[in-house]
Amino acid sequence: MFRAECDNYSMESDIPFLGPRHAMELQEFSRKPKRSGSHTLRELLQWVGDTTNDEYSRVLEVHGQAFQHTLVPFTLSFHNLTYSVKNSRKIRPACFSSRSTGSNICEPSSGTVAGNESRMRVLLNDISGEAREGEILAVLGASGSGKSTMIDALANRISRESLKGTISLNGEVLESKLLKVISAYVMQDDLLFPMLTVEETLMFSAEFRLPETMPRSRKRARVQVLIDQLGLRSAAKTIIGDEGHRGVSGGERRRVSIGTDIVHDPILLFLDEPTSGLDSTSAYMVVKVLQRIAQSGSIVIMSIHQPSYRILSLLDRLIVLSRGQTVFSGSPGSIPRFFAEFGNPIPANEDKTEFALDYIRELEGTPGRTKNLVDFNKSWQKIRDPQTIPSNGPKLSLKDAISASISMGKLVSGATNMDSNQSSSFSMFANSFWTEILIIAKRSITNSKRAPELFAVRFGAVLVTGMILATMFRKLDNSPRGIQERIAFFAFAMSTTFYTCAEAIPMFLLQRYIFMRETAYNAYRRSSFVLSHAIISIPSLLILSLTFSATTYWAVGLDGGTSGFLFFFTFMFASFWAGSSFVTFLSGIIFNVMMAYTIVVAILAYFLLFSGFFISRDRIPPYWIWFHYASLVKYPYQGVLQNEFDDATKCFVRGIQVFDGSPLKVVPDKTKLMMLKTMSTTLGMNITGSTCLVTGEDILKQSGVTDLNKWSCLCIIVALGFFFRILFYFALLLGSKNKRR
Amino acid sequence: MFRAECDNYSMESDIPFLGPRHAMELQEFSRKPKRSGSHTLRELLQWVGDTTNDEYSRVLEVHGQAFQHTLVPFTLSFHNLTYSVKNSRKIRPACFSSRSTGSNICEPSSGTVAGNESRMRVLLNDISGEAREGEILAVLGASGSGKSTMIDALANRISRESLKGTISLNGEVLESKLLKVISAYVMQDDLLFPMLTVEETLMFSAEFRLPETMPRSRKRARVQVLIDQLGLRSAAKTIIGDEGHRGVSGGERRRVSIGTDIVHDPILLFLDEPTSGLDSTSAYMVVKVLQRIAQSGSIVIMSIHQPSYRILSLLDRLIVLSRGQTVFSGSPGSIPRFFAEFGNPIPANEDKTEFALDYIRELEGTPGRTKNLVDFNKSWQKIRDPQTIPSNGPKLSLKDAISASISMGKLVSGATNMDSNQSSSFSMFANSFWTEILIIAKRSITNSKRAPELFAVRFGAVLVTGMILATMFRKLDNSPRGIQERIAFFAFAMSTTFYTCAEAIPMFLLQRYIFMRETAYNAYRRSSFVLSHAIISIPSLLILSLTFSATTYWAVGLDGGTSGFLFFFTFMFASFWAGSSFVTFLSGIIFNVMMAYTIVVAILAYFLLFSGFFISRDRIPPYWIWFHYASLVKYPYQGVLQNEFDDATKCFVRGIQVFDGSPLKVVPDKTKLMMLKTMSTTLGMNITGSTCLVTGEDILKQSGVTDLNKWSCLCIIVALGFFFRILFYFALLLGSKNKRR
């Protein structure tokens, strides 16, 4: 009943279209009635959020009322947008350096003000227009024409100091924070976890974006609705896939990407070239999905390189850019008239956009460039195209309009972002800190389970190294030589720990990009990501350290029995912890895998050099001693040495063994015993063949590892692990600024 | 005069078009008259190659004669091409895993015979058609429809055992070797050296592909002609560029790619998606260039995902594939009639190819799939499209036709490939072995000069490590402790050498892909590449070893004066040589940079562990001793140790120093002297405070490095370097097979 009414209504008038999906949602989620007299947006939204328990019938009824108030659709207007950057020769501002697209198709772009003397490059030059609810606004143009920049400008991804001009929603200036709540931005890259299924990916997105208070069943329902909306029903149980694992198709992947960003049903949706890299049918289906989203009560703004004929039919409004200037603005249908009036009619049989874009490209090559066309467009806008004149009909205030929209089921998350009663600023996150940690951990664990080979490689490396060391340093004795070999074993073992951590670098790379995407729109706190990342690393580090300790400890014949083993194991674990923290931190500041790996290996080599093994602490020149204390290898190396040699009752050099380290080693035992006797006389003490001459303490002193006891070492190494995790947090905080300057 | 004649002629008839470029070439290169009575192709071509000194006037005259004989254009026919592969779950045969495209847009593709039981996948299913000189044949279809496979089949990139069906040129079966000489295959990826200019890139290609006997000036002229033909005049002096260096645009880069493959003016040109990743204008210009090439007397066969309207107008013949089957074959103009007769007319305002491809995609989703369309196409071919019926006009034999084409300036290289009079097989390479080495070296040097930062990073790493070691191990003395530190210094220094070699891995990656492309069509011998690669690495290795030796030798206080330094330097150089050879070999068998780097680092770590430093040779368990001898670090480590300690006259432990390594170190000197005295009595020899107790030889014995002398070590390390280069050669030989099975 209601459904039919809606459909008819929307088809007959200019108000937001309520498609079947929307009607479906109405049955899934409770609606929130509009209350008159709410003054601040926060109050309004908060109040809306409080009414989640209303029973359906009432909601539907009240919804009917709200509906009448939102007859005027959302309209995003922008006027005279201008954005310039300093022209640096090194950086190409028009190119978005992207991992996945790889190829380098940046063209010399945009106009430079006053030739080469001035170094300001105008990326956007006095651009005006508007986008309406229920419609798709597409920004067209060649590479480097400013398409992405314009999407960035509208999506508030350019700092307001640099961007000139006004952007308003329903006539009111759009605040940055509000925009973040009611909008979504879909990047050009599909950054998804390859081992999750489509459904899982969207479900995790729902868990991140939708309010904690919403029952899981409702979130699940929302995801199911979304899957249908995105046309992903048949692929719902398929993993995303990557080079090594077959997954969904490129078009499906793109739609999943869009889905993760619109799970909260935003009012404003920005997309940077959503069809790039897709074949025509996939591209068409993506835009078809966008049309459906628009018609559910959103404004969709996308950039597109060159729409095909079929895609063009889905677009409601176009802005064609050339070197940052508008050369055409209007509906696709008005293109022929525009070019005819400009004096360059499009031949009957030609593809209209193709012709138009090629013609613009041609003009760009001429001396006067596109100036005439830009000027013509300006005058044409004023006279011909009525769409660019703001509609002056009866209007709701922005707050009321958003409230009404929420009551119609939009902004599933936004509604309850306001749950907290803090007066200074409203909470930007859907979940509490600990819930976020839980969800992130759950996702990571699912990922690891699906790709066990990543852990298997590390495990294999640790196991193989452990076994090589176990067989190489098999059953070491307590002779002077055995002691040297024990020390060598410790040095090698401790550096191995750190080296195997380096293998985790590529693992974090994908995560980092996804992290940047997700935090850009406040899916979760950076801190909970860091903490969750640390927590879930612990079980695997425990397994690795246990494996290594168990493989080597008894085989090498280390000292201390069970308690010694426990301490050795603890130190291994602490080293792995510190090592993984260090590597995680580095991967947070160095974005190129190869570079990160090289630097990690180099730094670890220096750590080993300065650890005290190659040259003992007391022999390190004073100007290098700081590096000795900065060396991550020092502390575990020193700790395990102390653990091995701190037994006061144990003797390492007894009687005639004293000559083993010296040239006198070769003389017969009898002679050695005689020498000991003579020495006893000389020194005035009784040294027999079994007198202890070197204790563990002596060895520690000789190795120069007595400045800190083993417990201090343990504390320091664990603390360093935490320290690097904190640095990692700050690296993410500073490195994930998502705005252009 | 001649030019005008040509142009008119070509416009009025169906014979190969001679554009302005061709006319230009006629003035650049000498023409070769056709001689009647030549019987074998080799004789024919060889004879053609011998007449390069004829004066122009006669050539032009004779050319006129030859021209009349080639009225019948080249025609490549293929019948019933069928190709199946075993369906492996791990590998996706329909996806060409590509570095530069990155994104993963592979679709479930092609038909599986008899469902899931049988594991044979039919990639090409009974495909017939023909392509003619002067025309472009385009293979269309969705991702995974078999486009690339079909291009591969025609270009002889699928082994003849697997591919069923016949391929013939002018009615004669095309031999593999002949095809290689008269054709070119342009890959989808633009694999070009980023730091060379467009002109240089094409010039190097000319040097590789055009005969050695052709004067450089003519090669230069050919490159200039090519630059104009490709429309690259304005970009000629611009570097190709990469992420870090701004270069030419994507479309220009693609055209350079094509240029490098057609520098010898092939009769047959195959291109795998030449327009992928380009914007419409760039794509159009690429196809326009291909049209020009076709009209200069070539057959052009390309795959294309979905041609735009404008591109379609440049294509002469289409084959549309769906899951390996032909669903349409004919001229672009016949598409509407075809679909109308099939019962699914294309609406007036729709883009024809877009509609057709979308319709096919829709059919693919239906239960009966495209069977009806495939069948309809078969019957339609027989009745309607006269183009697929082979022309039965007067014909030259294939040999005569090629000969005539060569006399018109085609196959600039092919003509003189036959210079050698060897009877067993004719030479496949344009240049002699040494010339190839020279050209490859020249190109590498140009590249290195343009990107000095690559060497600078390695140089910096060596310099910094050298300086850290120099300050860390500053002025070591000859005390027992000093000796230990010297040994530690050598171990660390020698491993550093190997580690810094690992930094060269990414450098080789790009080179490897270019190598594969270039050797696929015999641009040069694999052996000359390997040798050239080795030779040009030497100067940089010399600089690195000199830097490291000079930084550390005197600072650390190593022994041996100038000759000692020279030996130390020689060993450093030998280590760098062996290390770089080892790393080069690994990069030749492991194609993933990250993986290669990880493996290199792990292997080097084990090399260090087994070198004899961590545990001396006589203490290594017998089951690991093979690894000790396999360790690359062992030989330089042992060599420099011997160099340091082989001075028989030098004493390292004298008199009372004998106690330094033992617990007795702490007693007063006076007591030590007394003990020496007592020991003298006991041992029956006179030991005073200055008696030498440990010589260098003793140290070497103690360190277990006496099994080989230093010269043997040097020989072994140098030999290992050569050994790994040879392995590298075999890796390239086996790894660069360019055919599908």
Side-chain angles (χ1 to χ4, degrees):
Chain A
M1 246 295 286
F2 175 77
R3 184 171 169 169
E5 218 176 275
C6 271
D7 281 349
N8 290 339
Y9 199 27
S10 65
M11 277 175 225
E12 281 162 23
S13 69
D14 203 14
I15 59 131
F17 170 79
L18 274 180
R21 184 200 69 92
H22 216 104
M24 265 174 78
E25 272 194 356
L26 288 176
Q27 289 147 30
E28 289 290 349
F29 302 105
S30 58
R31 304 295 102 175
K32 302 107 197 173
K34 184 192 170 304
R35 187 174 66 174
S36 61
S38 61
H39 289 295
T40 72
L41 175 67
R42 198 185 318 140
E43 277 171 8
L44 183 148
L45 292 173
Q46 193 182 321
W47 178 82
V48 168
D50 288 345
T51 56
T52 39
N53 295 324
D54 291 358
E55 62 285 346
Y56 279 31
S57 60
R58 199 191 136 221
V59 165
L60 286 174
E61 183 197 355
V62 175
H63 168 75
Q65 291 171 10
F67 197 63
Q68 306 221 317
H69 285 281
T70 55
L71 284 176
V72 178
F74 285 110
T75 308
L76 183 79
S77 311
F78 42 97
H79 295 287
N80 314 104
L81 295 185
T82 300
Y83 173 54
S84 318
V85 289
K86 281 238 171 79
N87 200 358
S88 150
R89 264 166 198 272
K90 285 270 165 185
I91 301 157
R92 289 172 294 173
C95 308
F96 186 71
S97 174
S98 139
R99 244 172 5 96
S100 75
T101 55
S103 65
N104 180 9
I105 40 168
C106 301
E107 304 271 322
S109 62
S110 310
T112 309
V113 171
N116 282 327
E117 286 78 53
S118 166
R119 292 296 209 79
M120 290 303 282
R121 245 159 56 96
V122 184
L123 296 184
L124 294 180
N125 190 349
D126 195 25
I127 293 175
S128 303
E130 66 172 37
R132 290 185 193 197
E133 181 181 329
E135 295 185 348
I136 300 179
L137 166 67
V139 183
L140 276 70
S143 307
S145 59
K147 292 192 300 293
S148 298
T149 311
M150 176 155 166
I151 300 288
D152 281 354
L154 295 178
N156 191 32
R157 286 161 57 88
I158 296 178
S159 74
R160 276 286 148 92
E161 297 89 62
S162 313
L163 182 69
K164 279 165 205 135
T166 56
I167 301 171
S168 57
L169 186 61
N170 284 14
E172 296 181 28
V173 170
L174 201 48
E175 268 174 73
S176 183
K177 269 188 181 163
L178 178 62
L179 179 67
K180 215 166 189 175
V181 173
I182 63 167
S183 75
Y185 175 88
V186 181
M187 292 187 196
Q188 206 172 336
D189 294 307
D190 298 326
L191 297 168
L192 301 166
F193 284 104
M195 300 314 294
L196 297 180
T197 67
V198 168
E199 196 172 7
E200 284 168 343
T201 305
L202 294 173
M203 191 59 203
F204 276 117
S205 183
E207 292 197 55
F208 283 128
R209 300 274 182 106
L210 301 186
E212 203 168 0
T213 47
M214 184 188 273
R216 253 184 83 83
S217 59
R218 293 234 177 124
K219 287 178 188 164
R220 235 178 263 128
R222 166 71 187 141
V223 166
Q224 293 310 319
V225 168
L226 199 56
I227 286 174
D228 288 327
Q229 190 182 23
L230 296 167
L232 290 170
R233 179 51 63 202
S234 63
K237 305 284 181 195
T238 313
I239 60 161
I240 303 296
D242 57 11
E243 292 94 45
H245 305 87
R246 182 151 196 172
V248 299
S249 75
E252 287 164 344
R253 183 190 295 237
R254 185 63 46 87
R255 280 178 273 152
V256 176
S257 256
I258 293 170
T260 58
D261 282 321
I262 62 162
V263 73
H264 61 298
D265 211 350
I267 292 172
L268 272 161
L269 179 58
F270 303 100
L271 305 102
D272 189 15
E273 304 229 16
T275 59
S276 74
L278 298 182
D279 62 65
S280 69
T281 311
S282 306
Y284 176 75
M285 285 179 73
V286 165
V287 182
K288 187 84 197 159
V289 161
L290 294 179
Q291 189 188 42
R292 235 180 278 161
I293 293 166
Q295 289 172 343
S296 77
S298 298
I299 300 174
V300 174
I301 302 177
M302 63 186 265
S303 61
I304 184 165
H305 191 83
Q306 175 150 23
S308 70
Y309 188 86
R310 286 211 299 171
I311 288 178
L312 201 67
S313 68
L314 302 175
L315 307 177
D316 300 285
R317 220 171 265 250
L318 306 180
I319 290 186
V320 184
L321 296 183
S322 164
R323 295 170 188 255
Q325 292 185 297
T326 313
V327 286
F328 171 78
S329 164
S331 67
S334 61
I335 292 180
R337 211 178 59 206
F338 177 83
F339 279 93
E341 289 183 19
F342 181 63
N344 190 64
I346 299 173
N349 246 335
E350 289 268 353
D351 181 312
K352 280 166 215 80
T353 36
E354 199 178 314
F355 179 88
L357 289 177
D358 284 335
Y359 178 65
I360 290 159
R361 173 68 82 104
E362 260 171 52
L363 282 185
E364 281 171 2
T366 61
R369 291 192 165 155
T370 49
K371 195 179 173 301
N372 288 342
L373 196 60
V374 171
D375 294 343
F376 175 73
N377 178 57
K378 271 182 193 154
S379 57
W380 200 75
Q381 290 307 317
K382 281 174 199 153
I383 312 160
R384 292 294 178 122
D385 201 351
Q387 288 190 302
T388 54
I389 300 157
S391 56
N392 291 314
K395 244 188 202 176
L396 282 184
S397 77
L398 180 56
K399 292 163 198 169
D400 292 344
I402 292 175
S403 170
S405 183
I406 289 170
S407 73
M408 284 164 62
K410 298 295 285 185
L411 289 184
V412 186
S413 140
T416 40
N417 270 348
M418 322 301 158
D419 270 3
S420 72
N421 275 321
Q422 292 161 304
S423 57
S424 60
S425 72
F426 48 84
S427 166
M428 299 292 284
F429 300 96
N431 295 293
S432 71
F433 183 66
W434 295 106
T435 312
E436 284 176 0
I437 288 182
L438 215 70
I439 304 171
I440 297 171
K442 206 167 70 179
R443 185 170 65 177
S444 296
I445 292 166
T446 313
N447 273 317
S448 311
K449 269 192 204 153
R450 298 271 166 82
E453 66 273 14
L454 290 175
F455 178 71
V457 167
R458 283 184 79 188
F459 182 78
V462 168
L463 188 67
V464 166
T465 307
M467 280 165 54
I468 288 178
L469 288 176
T471 47
M472 185 79 172
F473 294 95
R474 206 175 128 68
K475 294 285 170 215
L476 296 182
D477 56 26
N478 283 329
S479 70
R481 202 135 199 209
I483 293 162
Q484 268 182 35
E485 285 162 2
R486 253 162 232 263
I487 296 175
F489 163 76
F490 287 131
F492 200 89
M494 287 306 151
S495 356
T496 303
T497 321
F498 288 96
Y499 278 101
T500 51
C501 286
E503 277 154 34
I505 294 175
M507 242 198 243
F508 183 66
L509 201 92
L510 175 67
Q511 279 192 32
R512 191 176 172 280
Y513 282 99
I514 295 178
F515 163 86
M516 293 207 9
R517 203 193 71 177
E518 291 177 335
T519 50
Y521 275 82
N522 292 354
Y524 44 77
R525 293 162 187 85
R526 285 170 181 83
S527 50
S528 52
F529 177 81
V530 171
L531 194 56
S532 182
H533 191 268
I535 291 171
I536 55 154
S537 74
I538 286 173
S540 61
L541 297 182
L542 275 174
I543 294 172
L544 293 180
S545 37
L546 189 64
T547 307
F548 189 83
S549 313
T551 326
T552 55
Y553 190 79
W554 288 285
V556 175
L558 297 183
D559 191 56
T562 313
S563 74
F565 172 77
L566 282 178
F567 200 84
F568 183 69
F569 163 68
T570 310
F571 254 106
M572 288 310 298
F573 175 62
S575 307
F576 271 115
W577 159 251
S580 78
S581 298
F582 176 66
V583 168
T584 304
F585 161 62
L586 277 185
S587 67
I589 53 168
I590 306 165
F591 309 145
N592 176 306
V593 213
M594 215 31 228
M595 178 82 87
Y597 204 80
T598 310
I599 289 177
V600 167
V601 168
I603 292 183
L604 293 183
Y606 292 136
F607 277 176
L608 177 61
L609 178 63
F610 287 94
S611 66
F613 168 69
F614 278 93
I615 189 161
S616 66
R617 186 174 47 86
D618 48 339
R619 298 275 290 183
I620 293 174
Y623 44 83
W624 275 129
I625 203 77
W626 62 272
F627 206 154
H628 170 68
Y629 282 99
S631 165
L632 276 182
V633 180
K634 171 195 165 67
Y635 304 100
Y637 169 68
Q638 187 158 338
V640 289
L641 270 189
Q642 292 196 4
N643 187 45
E644 181 70 18
F645 295 113
D646 67 355
D647 185 349
T649 62
K650 198 158 178 192
C651 186
F652 291 90
V653 179
R654 219 175 262 280
I656 54 169
Q657 283 180 325
V658 77
F659 300 107
D660 282 8
S662 79
L664 300 174
K665 187 188 171 191
V666 289
V667 301
D669 280 5
K670 211 178 146 192
T671 322
K672 285 181 186 168
L673 279 173
M674 275 178 64
M675 279 168 62
L676 280 182
K677 218 172 193 176
T678 354
M679 278 158 61
S680 304
T681 332
T682 322
L683 295 168
M685 51 193 279
N686 185 28
I687 304 172
T688 66
S690 60
T691 309
C692 186
L693 292 174
V694 176
T695 62
E697 211 179 319
D698 295 324
I699 294 170
L700 293 178
K701 254 187 212 146
Q702 233 172 301
S703 309
V705 292
T706 47
D707 54 327
L708 294 165
N709 70 35
K710 64 181 181 182
W711 296 109
S712 310
C713 287
L714 188 60
C715 291
I716 292 174
I717 193 78
V718 171
L720 281 175
F722 279 106
F723 174 67
F724 283 116
R725 294 279 169 180
I726 293 166
L727 284 187
F728 175 56
Y729 170 71
F730 284 108
L732 289 183
L733 206 61
L734 297 173
S736 62
K737 285 264 180 287
N738 234 328
K739 277 193 188 183
R740 305 199 195 186
R741 298 258 140 234
Chain B
M1 247 296 286
F2 174 76
R3 184 171 168 170
E5 221 177 271
C6 270
D7 281 348
N8 290 338
Y9 199 28
S10 63
M11 278 175 223
E12 282 160 23
S13 69
D14 201 16
I15 58 135
F17 168 79
L18 275 180
R21 184 200 70 92
H22 217 103
M24 264 173 82
E25 270 193 359
L26 289 176
Q27 288 149 31
E28 288 291 347
F29 303 104
S30 59
R31 305 294 105 176
K32 301 105 197 174
K34 184 191 171 308
R35 187 173 66 175
S36 62
S38 62
H39 289 295
T40 71
L41 174 67
R42 198 187 316 142
E43 275 171 9
L44 183 147
L45 293 174
Q46 194 181 322
W47 179 81
V48 168
D50 287 344
T51 56
T52 39
N53 294 323
D54 291 357
E55 61 288 343
Y56 280 29
S57 60
R58 202 191 132 217
V59 165
L60 286 176
E61 182 197 352
V62 175
H63 167 76
Q65 291 172 10
F67 198 62
Q68 306 220 316
H69 286 279
T70 55
L71 284 176
V72 178
F74 285 110
T75 307
L76 184 80
S77 311
F78 42 96
H79 295 286
N80 313 105
L81 294 185
T82 300
Y83 174 53
S84 317
V85 289
K86 281 238 170 79
N87 201 358
S88 150
R89 264 165 197 276
K90 285 267 163 185
I91 301 159
R92 289 173 294 175
C95 306
F96 186 71
S97 173
S98 138
R99 240 168 10 91
S100 76
T101 55
S103 66
N104 181 9
I105 40 168
C106 300
E107 304 273 322
S109 62
S110 310
T112 308
V113 172
N116 282 327
E117 287 79 53
S118 166
R119 291 300 209 75
M120 291 301 284
R121 244 159 57 95
V122 183
L123 297 184
L124 294 181
N125 191 348
D126 194 25
I127 293 175
S128 304
E130 66 170 36
R132 291 181 193 201
E133 180 180 329
E135 295 186 349
I136 300 179
L137 167 67
V139 183
L140 274 71
S143 306
S145 58
K147 292 192 301 293
S148 298
T149 311
M150 174 153 170
I151 301 288
D152 281 355
L154 295 177
N156 191 31
R157 284 161 59 87
I158 296 178
S159 74
R160 276 287 147 93
E161 297 89 64
S162 314
L163 182 69
K164 280 165 203 134
T166 57
I167 301 171
S168 57
L169 187 62
N170 283 14
E172 297 180 28
V173 170
L174 202 48
E175 269 174 72
S176 185
K177 268 187 182 167
L178 178 62
L179 179 67
K180 216 167 189 176
V181 174
I182 64 168
S183 76
Y185 175 88
V186 181
M187 292 186 196
Q188 207 171 338
D189 294 306
D190 299 326
L191 298 168
L192 301 166
F193 284 104
M195 299 313 294
L196 297 181
T197 66
V198 168
E199 195 173 7
E200 285 167 343
T201 305
L202 294 173
M203 190 60 203
F204 276 117
S205 182
E207 291 198 54
F208 283 128
R209 301 274 182 104
L210 302 186
E212 204 168 0
T213 47
M214 186 190 272
R216 254 184 83 82
S217 59
R218 293 233 177 122
K219 287 178 187 165
R220 234 177 266 131
R222 166 71 187 142
V223 166
Q224 294 309 318
V225 168
L226 199 56
I227 287 174
D228 289 326
Q229 190 183 22
L230 297 167
L232 290 170
R233 178 53 62 203
S234 63
K237 305 285 181 193
T238 312
I239 61 161
I240 302 296
D242 57 11
E243 293 93 48
H245 304 87
R246 183 151 195 172
V248 299
S249 75
E252 287 164 343
R253 184 190 295 235
R254 185 64 45 87
R255 280 177 273 151
V256 176
S257 257
I258 295 170
T260 58
D261 282 321
I262 62 161
V263 72
H264 60 297
D265 211 351
I267 292 172
L268 271 161
L269 179 58
F270 302 100
L271 304 101
D272 189 16
E273 303 229 18
T275 59
S276 74
L278 298 182
D279 62 67
S280 69
T281 311
S282 305
Y284 176 76
M285 285 178 75
V286 165
V287 182
K288 186 85 197 157
V289 160
L290 294 178
Q291 189 187 45
R292 235 180 278 159
I293 293 166
Q295 290 172 343
S296 78
S298 298
I299 300 173
V300 174
I301 301 178
M302 62 186 263
S303 61
I304 184 165
H305 190 84
Q306 175 150 23
S308 71
Y309 188 86
R310 286 211 300 168
I311 287 179
L312 202 67
S313 68
L314 302 175
L315 307 178
D316 300 286
R317 220 170 264 251
L318 306 180
I319 290 186
V320 184
L321 296 182
S322 165
R323 296 172 187 253
Q325 293 185 297
T326 313
V327 285
F328 171 78
S329 164
S331 67
S334 61
I335 292 180
R337 213 179 57 205
F338 176 83
F339 280 92
E341 291 183 17
F342 180 64
N344 190 63
I346 300 173
N349 246 336
E350 288 268 353
D351 181 312
K352 280 165 215 81
T353 36
E354 199 178 313
F355 180 88
L357 290 176
D358 284 336
Y359 179 66
I360 290 160
R361 174 66 83 103
E362 261 171 51
L363 282 186
E364 281 170 3
T366 61
R369 290 193 166 156
T370 48
K371 195 178 173 303
N372 288 342
L373 196 59
V374 171
D375 294 343
F376 176 73
N377 178 56
K378 272 184 193 153
S379 57
W380 201 75
Q381 291 308 317
K382 281 174 198 151
I383 312 162
R384 292 297 178 119
D385 202 351
Q387 288 189 303
T388 55
I389 300 156
S391 56
N392 291 316
K395 244 186 201 176
L396 282 184
S397 77
L398 179 56
K399 293 165 197 170
D400 291 345
I402 292 176
S403 170
S405 183
I406 290 170
S407 72
M408 285 163 62
K410 297 297 284 186
L411 288 184
V412 185
S413 139
T416 41
N417 270 348
M418 321 303 160
D419 270 3
S420 70
N421 275 322
Q422 292 162 303
S423 57
S424 61
S425 71
F426 49 82
S427 165
M428 298 291 285
F429 299 96
N431 295 293
S432 70
F433 183 66
W434 296 105
T435 312
E436 283 176 0
I437 289 183
L438 213 71
I439 304 171
I440 298 170
K442 206 168 71 179
R443 185 170 68 177
S444 297
I445 292 166
T446 313
N447 272 317
S448 311
K449 270 192 203 154
R450 298 272 167 82
E453 65 273 16
L454 291 175
F455 179 70
V457 167
R458 284 183 77 188
F459 181 78
V462 168
L463 187 68
V464 167
T465 307
M467 279 166 52
I468 288 178
L469 288 176
T471 47
M472 186 78 171
F473 295 95
R474 205 174 130 66
K475 294 285 169 214
L476 297 182
D477 54 28
N478 284 330
S479 70
R481 202 138 198 205
I483 292 162
Q484 267 181 34
E485 285 162 3
R486 253 162 233 261
I487 296 175
F489 164 75
F490 287 131
F492 200 88
M494 288 305 150
S495 0
T496 303
T497 320
F498 288 97
Y499 277 101
T500 50
C501 285
E503 277 154 35
I505 295 175
M507 243 200 245
F508 184 67
L509 201 92
L510 175 67
Q511 279 193 34
R512 191 177 172 279
Y513 282 100
I514 295 178
F515 164 86
M516 296 213 359
R517 204 191 70 178
E518 290 177 335
T519 50
Y521 276 82
N522 293 353
Y524 43 76
R525 293 163 185 85
R526 286 170 179 84
S527 50
S528 51
F529 176 80
V530 172
L531 193 57
S532 183
H533 191 267
I535 291 170
I536 55 153
S537 75
I538 286 174
S540 62
L541 296 182
L542 275 173
I543 295 173
L544 293 179
S545 37
L546 188 65
T547 307
F548 190 82
S549 314
T551 325
T552 55
Y553 190 80
W554 288 286
V556 174
L558 297 184
D559 192 55
T562 313
S563 73
F565 172 77
L566 283 178
F567 199 86
F568 183 69
F569 162 68
T570 310
F571 254 106
M572 288 311 298
F573 175 62
S575 308
F576 271 116
W577 159 251
S580 77
S581 297
F582 176 67
V583 168
T584 304
F585 162 63
L586 277 185
S587 68
I589 54 169
I590 306 164
F591 310 144
N592 177 308
V593 213
M594 217 30 227
M595 177 83 85
Y597 203 81
T598 309
I599 290 177
V600 166
V601 168
I603 292 183
L604 292 184
Y606 293 135
F607 277 175
L608 177 60
L609 177 63
F610 287 94
S611 66
F613 168 69
F614 277 93
I615 190 160
S616 64
R617 185 173 49 83
D618 47 339
R619 298 275 289 182
I620 293 175
Y623 44 83
W624 275 128
I625 204 78
W626 63 271
F627 206 154
H628 171 68
Y629 282 99
S631 165
L632 275 181
V633 181
K634 171 196 164 68
Y635 305 98
Y637 169 67
Q638 187 158 339
V640 289
L641 270 188
Q642 291 197 3
N643 187 44
E644 182 70 18
F645 294 113
D646 69 354
D647 186 350
T649 62
K650 200 160 174 189
C651 185
F652 291 91
V653 179
R654 219 176 264 280
I656 54 168
Q657 284 181 323
V658 78
F659 301 107
D660 282 8
S662 80
L664 300 174
K665 188 188 167 189
V666 289
V667 302
D669 281 5
K670 214 177 141 191
T671 322
K672 284 182 188 167
L673 279 174
M674 276 175 65
M675 278 168 64
L676 280 183
K677 220 170 190 173
T678 353
M679 276 159 62
S680 303
T681 332
T682 323
L683 294 169
M685 50 193 279
N686 187 25
I687 304 171
T688 67
S690 60
T691 308
C692 186
L693 293 173
V694 176
T695 62
E697 211 178 320
D698 296 323
I699 294 171
L700 294 179
K701 255 186 212 144
Q702 230 174 303
S703 310
V705 292
T706 47
D707 54 326
L708 294 164
N709 70 34
K710 64 181 180 181
W711 296 108
S712 310
C713 288
L714 189 59
C715 289
I716 291 174
I717 194 78
V718 171
L720 281 174
F722 280 105
F723 174 68
F724 283 116
R725 293 280 168 179
I726 292 166
L727 285 186
F728 176 55
Y729 170 72
F730 284 108
L732 289 183
L733 206 60
L734 298 173
S736 62
K737 285 262 179 289
N738 233 327
K739 276 194 188 181
R740 306 199 195 185
R741 299 258 138 232

